[in-house]
Amino acid sequence: MIRFEQVGKVYPDGTTAVDGLSFEVAEGELVTLVGPSGCGKTTTMMMVNRLIEPTSGRILVDGEDIAAVDPVKLRRRMGYVIQQVGLFPHRTVLDNTATVPALVGWKRARARERAAELLDLVGLDPKTYGPRYPAQLSGGQRQRVGVARALAADPPVLLMDEPFGAVDPVVRERLQNEFLGLQERVRKTVLMVTHDIEEAVRMGDRIAVYGEGRIEQFDTPAAVLGTPATPYVARFVGSDRGLKRLSVTAVEPKDLEEPPVARLEEPAREAAARLRTSGARWAVVLNASGELHGWVSADALRRARERDAVGALARRMDAWVPVGAPLKQAFSEMLQHDAGWVAVLDGARFLGVLTPAKLHEALRRSVDADAQGVGREEVDFDSVSDA
Ligand SMILES: Nc1ncnc2c1ncn2[C@@H]1O[C@H](COP(=O)(O)OP(=O)(O)O)[C@@H](O)[C@H]1O
Ligand SMILES: [Mg+2]
């Protein structure tokens, strides 16, 4: 959808801002450009809507060389969230949001109706906030308006330059999550700039890590964190990249252990016999509808009296995550409940448990899979335990 072919930009004063950029943003994909200040991110972004012209190479949008496209027409296809938000101070929030639709010739009433819809979409009540002026908003609210304005004309492409840069970390995380939720629904092709590796990893389907004017690595967040391509990237993503990687690696059914299962209402002695055969020290306990109740130890079952049901001996356990959740969430559940494992559910259905050892394996396997360029399920189990 957006394709850079050997793109370079040398400014008139001789500064080489970027050089030899080649990468692609697929339709509906969110790519983050991350790197330190001055490495050429904004320059890259502004070449896409021709606010800056490259000095070498070419950029294609939908297969078309944009050098041949009228810049005004080109920009209509692209929402642009600029680094400093850039709202017009003397226009209301509603009019700010309606700017682009009005520019491209929508009738005023329709443009304003659309603007109200968009404000609502980014979590600002149009009745409350629409009539206000930018100065009457918090930093986070202004950034939401920036996003709403960029989306207003429903462009297929969204260019965002540090869109959540001007707010504190808590608000930023909320805005990031909201934007990800929004992106799930609207599926724009997004190029997003940030200098924050955490943000790049959280938001990007793929990330371009910039060194000075060049891309050092272009890959999925998990791959960048797991196998940095150069020492520069390794330094940039930091020594805690293993921890960061936890947040981008999902819990998969293959990672799970399947301990014996006992039912709340079943006779304890039957469950005890089953555990003896399997040699397990504990069992997961489910209720009559198959939902997680907790666990029971083999010792407790052994000491059970004749008529005890499993329920009399079981302990509650609330540590669970849905399958597909990030490993980090599973780990955090374990810590929060001071538990040695966490149940993994598919809807209400119990799939298995994730233990710290399995969590480590899952992490290692995803690193190895990226290194080999194959799916995680194809990586041999032994390569993990041998490592
Ligand atoms: N108009 C300009 N003229 C000369 N140099 C520029 C101009 N704009 C940016 N630069 C330089 O190009 C490099 C990349 O800038 P920029 O794309 O803004 O980086 P980033 O957005 O990653 O901070 C920097 O060295 C910057 O000083
Ligand atoms: Mg910049």
Side-chain angles (χ1 to χ4, degrees), residues 42 83 161-162:
T42 295
Q83 202 163 350
D161 197 347
E162 313 226 6

Side-chain angles (χ1 to χ4, degrees), residues 278-353:
S278 70
R281 302 212 316 276
W282 56 281
V284 166
V285 178
L286 305 182
N287 70 17
S289 350
E291 289 155 0
L292 179 69
H293 173 85
W295 63 283
V296 64
S297 74
D299 282 346
L301 287 174
R302 230 183 345 265
R303 290 196 299 270
R305 286 162 308 185
E306 180 69 41
R307 267 199 286 280
D308 280 344
V310 167
L313 308 159
R315 308 243 192 124
R316 291 283 326 191
M317 164 73 156
D318 294 320
W320 66 273
V321 293
V323 66
L327 292 176
K328 184 176 172 187
Q329 190 182 336
F331 188 43
S332 154
E333 281 285 306
M334 278 183 215
L335 293 178
Q336 192 182 333
H337 294 277
D338 195 18
W341 53 272
V342 31
V344 178
L345 309 184
D346 179 10
R349 194 165 61 94
F350 171 78
L351 292 182
V353 305

